[in-house]
Amino acid sequence: MSSWLSKFISCKRRRLCASLVRTYREISFASVDELWLKIVDFTDVSCNPLFKSTNVPLGLVPKPGLIFQAVTCFWPIPISIFVERVNPKQMLSIRILAIPGIEERIIYSIESTVCGSYLSYSVTLKGWLSPLIWSLSRPYVDRVARSLVEAVEKAALQAVSGSKKSLDDSCFDF
């Protein structure tokens, strides 16, 4: 009787294990280099609606195996972030190690096309707590790709308008 009960419980556990996958894709007129620099800058969390702060030293380049701590906007406790894979200027994969019962993987990928640069942001949640965590984090996750692209484009426009002002103030007015 006990073996039947343990098989029933393990079947129940498998049913409770949920997996949620969502991919967001944005196009930008910014270059791949500019997008990549914004993605790998873990110290600047102003354009990432998921994180409030991180403990990454300024100028640190992410490499596989790097572990750092961050505080999310929806979960006010420190979580560990593990950098899994890095293909420079193409893909960055990180795993969030928050609490038992949830496994979260985030993949940023960048593609250059004739129309511009595409930024793909993919989130995968696994575990029996994934529906709860998804309901808490979804409003923030929905904005990540768009916020990153807007921040890069805003910086590029400021750089262009700043150089235009310096040309307007010069003596080369013909």
Side-chain angles (χ1 to χ4, degrees):
M1 184 71 170
S2 64
S3 67
W4 176 82
L5 184 60
S6 65
K7 287 180 184 177
F8 180 72
I9 290 172
S10 67
C11 287
K12 282 263 192 199
R13 284 187 186 153
R14 278 189 235 130
R15 286 185 199 147
L16 290 176
C17 185
S19 180
L20 299 167
V21 178
R22 184 71 189 228
T23 300
Y24 301 90
R25 190 167 172 154
E26 293 289 335
I27 190 166
S28 173
F29 67 79
S31 70
V32 170
D33 295 333
E34 293 169 332
L35 282 170
W36 180 254
L37 288 175
K38 186 56 89 173
I39 288 172
V40 298
D41 186 12
F42 291 123
T43 57
D44 180 21
V45 294
S46 62
C47 63
N48 194 332
L50 280 181
F51 304 123
K52 272 188 182 175
S53 64
T54 63
N55 69 346
V56 177
L58 189 63
L60 183 69
V61 178
K63 298 195 184 292
L66 173 69
I67 297 176
F68 62 94
Q69 298 232 336
V71 177
T72 63
C73 295
F74 59 89
W75 196 267
I77 60 171
I79 59 170
S80 296
I81 298 177
F82 174 73
V83 178
E84 287 184 319
R85 286 182 48 193
V86 179
N87 291 342
K89 299 180 184 174
Q90 291 178 354
M91 195 252 324
L92 172 71
S93 173
I94 61 175
R95 186 177 298 258
I96 297 180
L97 311 167
I99 54 176
I102 188 76
E103 177 186 328
E104 183 173 1
R105 176 181 285 161
I106 297 175
I107 299 173
Y108 299 94
S109 61
I110 304 172
E111 299 172 36
S112 180
T113 64
V114 175
C115 301
S117 300
Y118 280 105
L119 171 66
S120 296
Y121 175 78
S122 180
V123 179
T124 305
L125 288 170
K126 292 181 183 176
W128 62 276
L129 281 176
S130 58
L132 174 67
I133 298 298
W134 183 251
S135 66
L136 293 173
S137 65
R138 184 165 182 185
Y140 302 101
V141 170
D142 288 344
R143 298 186 319 226
V144 170
R146 185 75 241 156
S147 296
L148 286 170
V149 166
E150 285 175 356
V152 171
E153 289 177 348
K154 183 178 177 184
L157 285 175
Q158 287 177 348
V160 169
S161 67
S163 65
K164 185 179 178 183
K165 281 185 180 180
S166 65
L167 287 177
D168 289 342
D169 295 339
S170 69
C171 64
F172 294 114
D173 294 333
F174 295 108

